[in-house]
Structure formats: structure tokens, C-alpha cells
Amino acid sequence: MIEDVYDPLLRYRNEFAAKFSQLSLEKFRELVEKSGIDVQENRKTIAEIKKLTSQANFAKGKLTLCSIVIFLAICVFIAGLVWMYYNYQRDITNGVIALIISGIITIFTSIKCAKISKALNGIELNISQKTKLAWKQMSPLNNLYTWDIPVKLIEKSVPRLQFDSFFTEKRLDDLYRLFGWNDSFNENKSILNAQSGIINGNPFVLAEYLEQTWGTHTYTGSKTIYWTERIIVDGKSRTVHRSETLYAHVKKPIPVYTKDKVLIYGNNASPNLSFSRKPSELSDDGNGFFERLRKKRVINKLKAYSRNLQDESDFTLMSNHDFEALFFAKNRDNEVEFRLLFTAMAQKQMLDLLKDYKVGYGDDFTFIKDKKINLIFAEHLKDAIIDTNPKNYHDFDFDKASLNFKNFNDKFFKDVYFTIAPILAIPAYQQTRTFEDIYKDVIDTPASSWEFEANANFLGEKHFQHPLCITQNILKTQRAFHDDNMSIVNMVAHGYKGITHTEYVDTFGGDGNWHSVPVDWVEYIPVKQTTQMCVSSNKTFATSHQKTYSNGKWRRSLYSYIN
């Protein structure tokens, strides 16, 4: 029987982290053995590259020194000419000596410099050849890496956690149909990456997306004005010429593109409850006098809010004041279901996560529950890589590749685990499984629209954007056709073209007059273009088409190309 994951922080510290690292090490050894690469030969090649690189750096240093010597010799030569110019009717001996010495030094150093430069070119050519050899030596191993390595290692390390090969249509449909997910989240967004799966039968997706919003940009224009003035100097009147550069500014709307990541999780526990909370500054305050005072003030405010019978809220302060102050879900709208969800065990486990900054990331997450849908936005995800592209491991140096493999997977596991940890900290979520998961097999279905968007972004927006587009693009998809081997989708790229306008702003000048200062600004007009993209999970079928379509790429278990 598979156990549930209680005490997510303790389990990670005492069990999961070490188990994952061990499995990751074993997986790398397995791949190395399977690849048949000669590790010692690669290390020998890398040692030669390092030696050659050291020689190249030494040669570059000598070239720099030569350049300095030539520069100083030229300075001496110029000084000699100056001496001779000012002393041509007297003694020019010093000038002549300076010219001769500087000339000899310049000629000698230039010859030396040419020899060093020639030697450096030979060294750099040798480095290039050795580097190509090292890549060739590592090629069998680099070709064995797959997209699913990190998630498969996580599945073996953490019970109840399973990942999909790709984000299927059924998984997305489950979120829509069973848990009330809707498309409002997807407005003005394009999915860049999506890792989906189930936690004890309940669906989740960890998504990275590009979002377009509107901001303002300040454009600046200038105009130089000229005028004359009569002034009195020493009792006499004279005319002076004045000038001034006038500046003007206009603010206009501009599309802004940002990336973010979110965990979306569906669960039927406490289905009528909604709330939100964000990171609290109290979580890492410690137990000093001032820290306790700050926390007490927050609790007193919550007590007053709880006693207020004038508003529509049924908020009632729980006995665990520490949890109330730190989790601070003040806007919860169903007190009974909140208490069913956050039992004493859930409160303790959540507090453990919020206060810990040694093992995990502490209180760095926003938690939003909207009925059956849960959203987690974590600060540590902003810089995290959730794209499991095998290129993350590639290297021509075996020892660096080994380190890359370990570091990337360990970091990926920690980033993903502590995004999911707030969900694991609530026992009710693991004890509640959907009816369909228990009684119905998961049927293989085509990729979802989110996966199509991720694949299109992987191919590159340049393949889809309108020719007049000057901004980034939000790629959205519409399925056009599907059979057992292939899906054809219409990929719509939404961007903006720019039209330059000139606005004249009245600005007061130093001449006492108003002047129209021109300011150029760009008006952003929506443009879109639809391109057909083909996606297949059938490797044999896709490979046969790969010869025809040079723009195709494998991503996870799917091959995509532009039709």
C-alpha cells in the first residue's frame, strides 16, 4: 500500500532529498554505462584543452604587454619629434636618439608580436579541434538524456506523486469539468512549459507562461532655441547670443511582457471554500521581543475583526494564533470548511513550512483557493528552471556533465517539491480522491492546447509572428484536425505593429516664449497571424516527416513542426 506524505518538510529533510540524490547518481551511472563512452579518454582531452587554454591566456598576456611597449615607443618617438622641432637651431641630438631608440623598439616588438600572434592562432585552432573531439567523445551520452528524467526520479522518491508524459487533453478536461477551472486565467497568456500529473489521483499542472499586460512608456523630445539679448557690461550695451535645449515628455501605453509560473491543483476537499494568503513578514521574525510584539499586534487585529458582527464575514479566530498570524487567510468565506481543511495537523505542518528557511524556501508562496481549484505562486519559482530540456545536461567535459546532471536534478526536485509542499501539508487533500480517478482508467488522449502552446513556443515565436510585428507574441492555439498519428492545430500569434506619431508639446523657453517641442512616440496596433502546426506523439510517424520539415523539434514526448 502506498503511504500518504505527511510532514512534508521532515520527510524531505530526512528521506526524500537523500533518496532523490542517490537515484540521480545511479541514473547517471546507468546512462554512462549504456553510452559506452571512454571517460578517461575524455578527461585526457579536457586536460589537454585546459593546458592549451592556459598557454593561450599566457600568449594573450604577452600580446597585451607588447601593445603597451609599442604604445610607449610611439610616445617616445613623438617626444623626439617635438624636441627636434623646438631645438632644430640648437642641439637635436636627444631628439635623434629618441627617434632611433623608439624605432628599434617598435620594429623589434612588432616582429615579436607577430610571432606571438601566429603561435596564438595555432593554439586556438588546436583548442577548437580538441573541443570538437571532446564533444564527439561525449555525444553518445548526450544523446541518451531524455525530457522525463527528473520527473521519473521524483516519482521514485515521493509517494503519491505521478507525472504525465505530456499535458493531455483529458487532464485539462478534468480541471474544467470536475473542478471548475475556466479560461479566464489564460487570457493574454501563452504557455511556455507545462508539467502535469496527479497527487494521489487529483490533477495538477505546473505551468510557466508569458503574459501580456499594458504599461506606460515616457517618450522624450527636444528642441534647441536661439535668441539674442541686449545686456549692459561696464556701462556699455552689447548684444549676446543665447541658446537653450528644451525637453518635453509624453506618456503613452506600451505592451509589457512578463513571465511567471504557477501550480494549479484540483481537489474536492472543502469544495465551497475560497481564500487567499500571501507571504508574511512575520514568518522569519524569530522570537525576540520586537518580533513577538509585531505578531501580537497582528493577532489583536484579527481578534477585533473576529468580534466585529457588523460586516458580512463569518471569520472566527482559531485557537492557534501563530497559524492565524502567519498564514493570515483573513478573507476566507466558509469558516466550517476552513477548519475541516486546516486541522491541527495541517496547521502544524503548514507552520513548519512557513518558518523553515534552512531546508526549504520558507514563507515565499501565495496560496489561492477558489472552491475546488488551488493556485500556488512561489517566489523561488521565478528563477527556477522547470523546462527539463536534455540540453540542460549537455557538456563536452565528462566531470562537468556529471556535476550538471546532479545539480540540475537536485535543484529541479527542490523547486518542484516546495511548490507542491503547501498542498502536501494539508492531509485532507491526500485523503480526498476524485470518483473518476478511483473508478475509471486514465485513457491516453491527445495533447492539450497548453501543450500545443508550449511546443509552439519551443519552436520559436519567429516562425509564427506577423511580418509587421515589432513586439513579443502571445501564441494561442485552436485544434483543426486530429487522428491517431497527428494533430494539426492553428497557431495564432498575437502581437503589435508600431506606427510612429509626432506630438507637439508647448514648453516655455528662456527667451520668454512658448515653443512647440516635437516628441516622437509609437502607437501599438494589434496584428495576428495564423500558422498551421503539426504535432505527433508517434515517433515512427514523426521521424518519417522529419526529413520533409527541417523546422521540427522533439519536446518531451511530442514532435512538432510547421506545416
Side-chain angles (χ1 to χ4, degrees), residues 447-459:
S448 67
S449 59
W450 285 31
E451 195 69 60
F452 291 142
E453 288 177 19
N455 276 269
N457 281 300
F458 182 63
L459 286 176

Side-chain angles (χ1 to χ4, degrees), residues 90 138 149 173 188 239-240 273 385 405 407 454 486 504 513:
R90 291 174 291 178
M138 289 292 291
I149 287 176
D173 181 63
N188 297 323
T239 300
V240 293
L273 170 66
I385 299 175
F405 192 86
N407 290 344
M486 178 180 62
Y504 292 88
N513 298 313

Side-chain angles (χ1 to χ4, degrees), residues 366-540:
T366 296
F367 192 147
I368 301 171
K369 177 172 167 61
D370 183 11
K371 309 302 182 187
K372 300 177 183 180
I373 290 291
N374 300 263
L375 304 178
I376 303 288
F377 295 89
E379 288 296 318
H380 71 263
L381 278 183
K382 292 187 182 300
D383 297 321
I385 299 175
I386 65 168
D387 176 9
T388 57
N389 192 328
K391 288 186 178 180
N392 291 316
Y393 309 126
H394 288 187
D395 208 294
F396 61 89
D397 182 337
F398 173 81
D399 293 314
K400 283 187 178 179
S402 175
L403 196 61
N404 288 347
F405 192 86
K406 179 185 186 316
N407 290 344
F408 177 83
N409 285 320
D410 284 351
K411 182 71 163 57
F412 180 85
F413 177 44
K414 182 177 180 180
D415 290 339
V416 172
Y417 183 86
F418 281 101
T419 304
I420 297 175
I423 299 298
L424 299 177
I426 304 172
Y429 277 163
Q430 295 184 65
Q431 295 161 2
T432 305
R433 298 180 65 183
T434 63
F435 179 87
E436 289 212 357
D437 175 69
I438 298 173
Y439 296 103
K440 186 176 181 180
D441 293 333
V442 176
I443 302 172
D444 288 335
T445 60
S448 67
S449 59
W450 285 31
E451 195 69 60
F452 291 142
E453 288 177 19
N455 276 269
N457 281 300
F458 182 63
L459 286 176
E461 65 174 69
K462 65 180 181 181
H463 296 295
F464 303 95
Q465 69 181 23
H466 190 280
L468 297 179
C469 180
I470 63 170
T471 65
Q472 289 182 262
N473 286 264
I474 296 296
L475 304 183
K476 304 303 295 182
T477 184
Q478 301 169 344
R479 189 192 305 278
F481 169 80
H482 173 72
D483 65 13
D484 292 338
N485 289 319
M486 178 180 62
S487 291
I488 298 178
V489 295
N490 291 324
M491 190 59 58
V492 185
H494 298 267
Y496 295 88
K497 67 179 181 179
I499 299 178
T500 301
H501 299 276
T502 300
E503 186 168 323
Y504 292 88
V505 180
D506 288 337
T507 305
F508 193 73
D511 61 353
N513 298 313
W514 288 92
H515 301 268
S516 294
V517 178
V519 182
D520 293 334
W521 62 277
V522 178
E523 179 185 10
Y524 290 89
I525 307 296
V527 291
K528 64 180 181 179
Q529 179 160 290
T530 301
T531 306
Q532 279 200 335
M533 183 179 75
C534 302
V535 183
S536 177
S537 59
N538 186 313
K539 189 169 185 177
T540 303

Side-chain angles (χ1 to χ4, degrees), residues 15-29 153 157 405-406 410:
E15 179 185 350
F16 297 152
K19 185 177 181 180
F20 182 89
S21 291
Q22 181 60 34
L23 289 171
S24 178
L25 179 62
E26 291 173 0
K27 181 64 178 179
F28 186 74
R29 287 173 177 168
L153 293 174
S157 303
F405 192 86
K406 179 185 186 316
D410 284 351

